[in-house]
Amino acid sequence: EVQLLESGGGLVQPGGSLRLSCAASGFTFSSYDMNWVRQAPGKGLEWVSTISGSVGSTYYADSVKGRFTISRDNSKNTLYLQMNSLRAEDTAVYYCAKDRAPGIIFDMWGQGTMVTVSS
Amino acid sequence: EIVMTQSPATLSVSPGERATVSCRASQSASSNLAWYQQKPGQAPRLLIYGASTRATGIPARFSGSGSGTEFTLTISSLQSEDFAVYYCQQYNNWPLTFGPGTKVDIK
């Protein structure tokens, strides 16, 4: 059974940093692109970032480019999102999502971790 | 950036009735379109990809159609568990973009 378990969310002040993790199990982690998608309270879904399975190519939404860094450790089956220079508008539930090739299709999702940016 | 729009914003339907949700792309997304269902307090669930292919385990009452800029999600006979928010998402171009969602609620 595919499982994705996010952690690392919490309350952080504007300008602060946070690192999210997503522990994956039940599939060959290194073979799949992985993603972060967020959802602000009461709002819709917003794609944040994607990292390819083996080569490690990365892609970012303009809203987070230069502030967030996606990475992965295939030996630990873990996906990360390093978030720096956080802003109030980054407040959201952050979901880790597995890709279903071909194309970036989010076929399995974690339960999400809440990030609140507030003073 | 491909901007996705959905209509209606809210759809009130009686159980057993048919529900149709529309999704429009600001430029062609070819058939690279997915649909997701989200219930309150839960993560989204993939329903449809490739505009018309049901994901694993998705009931046959869910169907998708369209290509280019116009797409449709149809639920043929609404069950109680289908009342939720539905999102479309294009994966033809970077950045990946979602529609704003359509809430299907009980009439």
Side-chain angles (χ1 to χ4, degrees):
Chain A
E1 179 192 6
V2 171
Q3 287 198 328
L4 299 169
L5 186 61
E6 302 96 336
S7 60
L11 174 64
V12 61
Q13 292 188 339
S17 298
L18 214 53
R19 188 175 86 154
L20 306 183
S21 299
C22 172
S25 61
F27 64 102
T28 305
F29 182 71
S30 60
S31 296
Y32 292 89
D33 295 353
M34 294 295 295
N35 310 273
W36 290 99
V37 177
R38 69 184 180 183
Q39 186 169 37
K43 303 297 184 182
L45 301 170
E46 180 187 15
W47 168 75
V48 173
S49 186
T50 296
I51 185 167
S52 65
S54 52
V55 179
S57 301
T58 58
Y59 307 84
Y60 297 95
D62 284 347
S63 57
V64 307
K65 199 173 295 183
R67 301 187 298 122
F68 289 12
T69 302
I70 191 172
S71 62
R72 64 192 298 160
D73 185 337
N74 288 339
S75 69
K76 295 183 178 179
N77 290 349
T78 303
L79 175 72
Y80 302 100
L81 186 68
Q82 177 67 44
M83 305 186 294
N84 298 332
S85 303
L86 282 161
R87 306 166 179 167
E89 55 264 36
D90 295 318
T91 294
V93 174
Y94 284 73
Y95 294 102
C96 162
K98 171 187 166 291
D99 175 57
R100 187 209 181 282
I104 306 297
I105 304 162
F106 311 117
D107 73 337
M108 295 298 298
W109 299 65
Q111 87 291 347
T113 187
M114 182 71 202
V115 172
T116 303
V117 184
S118 175
S119 54
Chain B
E1 171 176 329
I2 298 180
V3 177
M4 308 300 292
T5 56
Q6 291 182 231
S7 61
T10 303
L11 184 61
S12 296
V13 184
S14 298
E17 288 188 341
R18 180 187 192 93
T20 301
V21 180
S22 296
C23 174
R24 175 174 290 179
S26 62
Q27 59 186 271
S28 178
S30 187
S31 293
N32 297 316
L33 191 285
W35 289 96
Y36 302 86
Q37 175 194 67
Q38 188 179 32
K39 298 178 182 178
Q42 296 185 16
R45 177 175 72 146
L46 175 66
L47 297 176
I48 301 282
Y49 63 93
S52 61
T53 302
R54 277 189 303 277
T56 303
I58 301 303
R61 64 180 181 273
F62 290 92
S63 63
S65 63
S67 65
T69 61
E70 301 283 343
F71 303 90
T72 301
L73 172 71
T74 301
I75 311 171
S76 60
S77 176
L78 268 157
Q79 306 298 302
S80 57
E81 62 266 30
D82 301 335
F83 293 98
V85 179
Y86 293 84
Y87 295 93
C88 60
Q89 175 235 332
Q90 67 80 22
Y91 52 95
N92 196 63
N93 289 2
W94 298 101
L96 311 176
T97 48
F98 288 90
T102 292
K103 182 178 181 181
V104 177
D105 65 16
I106 300 174
K107 187 173 183 180

